Amino acid sequence: MSITLVNPEGLPKPEVYRQLSVATGSKLVFLAGQVARDVDGLPVGEGDFAAQVEQCYLNIGTALAGIGGSFDDVAKLTIYVVDWSSEKMPLLGEGVARAAAKLGIDPVKPITLLGVAALGEPDLLVEVEATAVIE
């Protein structure tokens, strides 16, 4: 299995994500949106956007490890943020960086970021869903 991240010619070359992910493998995984809940379903990082982002990424790593994969197998992420504004970008980066350090991964993936009015529960500030390819 391999995932090759690409910024093709003719498109912008962002530093915090890649435009394309070319994946080869035999198992396509669609992970439900992960939120800031611990193993017992208890809230993590109430009111703290960066902490909630971190927990979402950690939950993705945990979910994929449970089926023999890892965050490195992620081909694409979709991030849903309540009341998105550009002022939240540094906090998003902080949460991602903390999770990456704990997981020992390079978190740079193709990402779609969507601002939403609300999520499934009122304390949630962010939800992250992932598509992965595992050998």
Side-chain angles (χ1 to χ4, degrees):
M1 191 283 309
S2 73
I3 294 177
T4 305
L5 301 173
V6 180
N7 275 330
E9 293 301 319
L11 292 176
K13 296 181 178 26
E15 292 185 26
V16 297
Y17 69 92
R18 298 297 175 260
Q19 298 285 5
L20 294 172
S21 175
V22 180
T24 59
S26 58
K27 189 185 306 184
L28 189 56
V29 179
F30 299 95
L31 182 59
Q34 296 300 299
V35 297
R37 297 288 186 261
D38 67 13
V39 66
D40 297 317
L42 299 173
V44 173
E46 191 169 340
D48 183 339
F49 181 66
Q52 288 198 17
V53 169
E54 177 183 3
Q55 187 64 43
C56 292
Y57 272 63
L58 293 175
N59 287 350
I60 291 168
T62 299
L64 292 173
I67 59 168
S70 75
F71 200 95
D72 288 331
D73 298 315
V74 170
K76 182 175 185 312
L77 297 166
T78 302
I79 303 174
Y80 302 89
V81 179
V82 174
D83 297 324
W84 172 257
S85 68
S86 60
E87 290 81 29
K88 291 183 179 178
M89 186 60 84
L91 295 172
L92 176 65
E94 178 184 329
V96 169
R98 290 193 320 224
K102 287 181 180 177
L103 294 169
I105 53 105
D106 178 354
V108 175
K109 305 288 181 179
I111 293 174
T112 298
L113 190 145
L114 299 165
V116 297
L119 293 168
E121 297 178 45
D123 65 310
L124 297 174
L125 304 174
V126 61
E127 183 169 334
V128 183
E129 71 180 23
T131 302
V133 179
I134 299 173
E135 193 66 48

